[in-house]
Amino acid sequence: FFFFFFFQAEDGIRDVERSRGLGDVYKRQVHGMPICSKIILQINAKRNGDLWRIGIPKEVPKKTMMVGIDISREKGFTYLGFSSSYNPVFTKYYTQLMKLEEKTEISGTVGSLLCNAVMRFYEETSKRFFPELIIIYRDGVGDSQKHEVFCSEVESIFRVFADKLENYKPKLLFAIINKKVHTRFFRKNTGGGETFSGRGRGSRRGLAEESRQDLVNPDPGTVIHEDLVDDNLYEFLIMPQHVNEGTGTPVRVHVIYDTSGLSLTVFEELTNALCYGYDNWQGAIRVPAPCKYAFTHARLATRYTRTKPHAQLLSQKYFL
C-alpha cells in the first residue's frame, strides 16, 4: 500500500495567497509542540482520526449535519468545495469537489451535492435516519449576490429533495459568511493582554500614543449583533480568533433562511465553537471549520491536482 500526504500549513488567522510550507509556520511557533508531534497529528487527521472535539450547545439536535461551501479560483481554474459532517460531534467530513466551467449553474450543483451528503450521512448511521437539521455556511458570496443565492441555491435544495427524497423535509439554516468586512472594533485596555501598538499593518501614525495604549483587540469569541449591524436582518459580527499583530478583522454572518428553531445566542455559540474544529490549527480560525475544509480541498484542486479525487478519499481529510 502507498500513502501520499499533502502538507499545507495554515496560520489560522488570515488567508494567504501562497502556501509557505510547514517549516515557515513552525519556526514562528516557538512555544508550540515539536515539529514531529505536529506531523503525527496531521497524519492522524488525514487518516480521519479525531484530534479534538468542540463544545456543542445542548440545544443543537444530535441528528444535525454541518455543511461548508466555498469556491477557489486560481490560474484559470474554478472549483467548488463542499464539505459535510456525518457524525454527531462534527469531526468527520465528507468532502466533494465540482469543477465549474464558465457557464456552469451553481444552484443545481449545490442541491445535488447536498443530496449526496445527506445520503452519506444516512449510510454512516447504518441507514437508520437522515439528518433532521442541516446548517449550511456559504462562503465566497458578496453582498450583491445574497438575493441570487437565496433565489437559486436555497430553492434548488428543496427542488432536489422533492425529486430524489420525496418524503424528506429537514429543518434548514442557510448562512452566508463574508470575510471582506471593513468594520473594526476594539475594547479598552483594563490591564493584561496585548495592546494595539500601531505597528501592525494598516496602522495610522497620527494616532496619539496615549490613545493607542488604551485600545486592544477584542477577546476571542467576541460577537456583536446590534448597533453595528442592520436590525432588520438576521446577522452578526464575530471574531473568534486571537490576533496578536495589528488589528483583528471580524467576519459577518448573515442568515438568509432559517427554519431551525435555534435562538440567535445558540447559533452564535455554535458558530464560534465550529471555528475551533479545524484540524490544521490548534485554536480558532476566522471561519467555521466546514467552510475551511471546503476551501482547502478546492484550493488543492485549483493549484495542483485539477481533478476529482477517488471516491474512497472523499470521507478522509487527505487534502490537509
Side-chain angles (χ1 to χ4, degrees), residues 102-119:
E102 185 176 353
K103 298 182 179 180
T104 302
E105 184 67 29
I106 299 180
S107 60
T109 300
V110 170
S112 299
L113 294 178
L114 183 58
C115 186
N116 296 339
V118 169
M119 294 306 300

Side-chain angles (χ1 to χ4, degrees), residues 33-164:
M33 298 176 62
I35 294 177
C36 292
S37 299
K38 289 180 176 290
I39 293 177
I40 291 174
L41 288 176
Q42 196 169 50
I43 292 176
N44 184 56
K46 291 175 182 291
R47 296 295 298 156
N48 222 24
D50 293 351
L51 300 186
W52 43 72
R53 294 184 179 181
I54 61 175
I56 304 171
K58 61 181 180 180
E59 294 84 357
V60 178
K62 297 294 183 181
K63 302 175 184 178
T64 299
M65 182 173 70
M66 296 294 168
V67 176
I69 306 173
D70 204 350
I71 295 176
S72 175
R73 297 181 177 90
E74 195 169 341
K75 300 178 181 179
F77 294 89
T78 303
Y79 277 87
L80 173 74
F82 190 101
S83 67
S84 57
S85 65
Y86 59 87
N87 69 335
V89 292
F90 314 137
T91 57
K92 300 186 185 301
Y93 285 85
Y94 178 66
T95 59
Q96 304 175 74
L97 277 179
M98 179 65 67
K99 184 178 181 181
L100 301 180
E101 303 295 343
E102 185 176 353
K103 298 182 179 180
T104 302
E105 184 67 29
I106 299 180
S107 60
T109 300
V110 170
S112 299
L113 294 178
L114 183 58
C115 186
N116 296 339
V118 169
M119 294 306 300
R120 176 61 180 174
F121 187 99
Y122 180 65
E123 293 172 358
E124 285 295 325
T125 59
S126 301
K127 298 184 178 181
R128 291 179 298 171
F129 52 80
F130 291 98
E132 64 181 40
L133 171 61
I134 301 175
I135 298 178
I136 300 176
Y137 292 94
R138 173 71 158 90
D139 204 345
V141 177
D143 291 336
S144 61
Q145 299 174 302
K146 292 180 180 179
H147 182 70
E148 178 183 353
V149 169
F150 175 78
C151 295
S152 59
E153 297 183 19
V154 176
E155 293 182 358
S156 74
I157 292 173
F158 293 105
R159 287 199 302 268
V160 173
F161 282 169
D163 183 42
K164 297 184 179 181

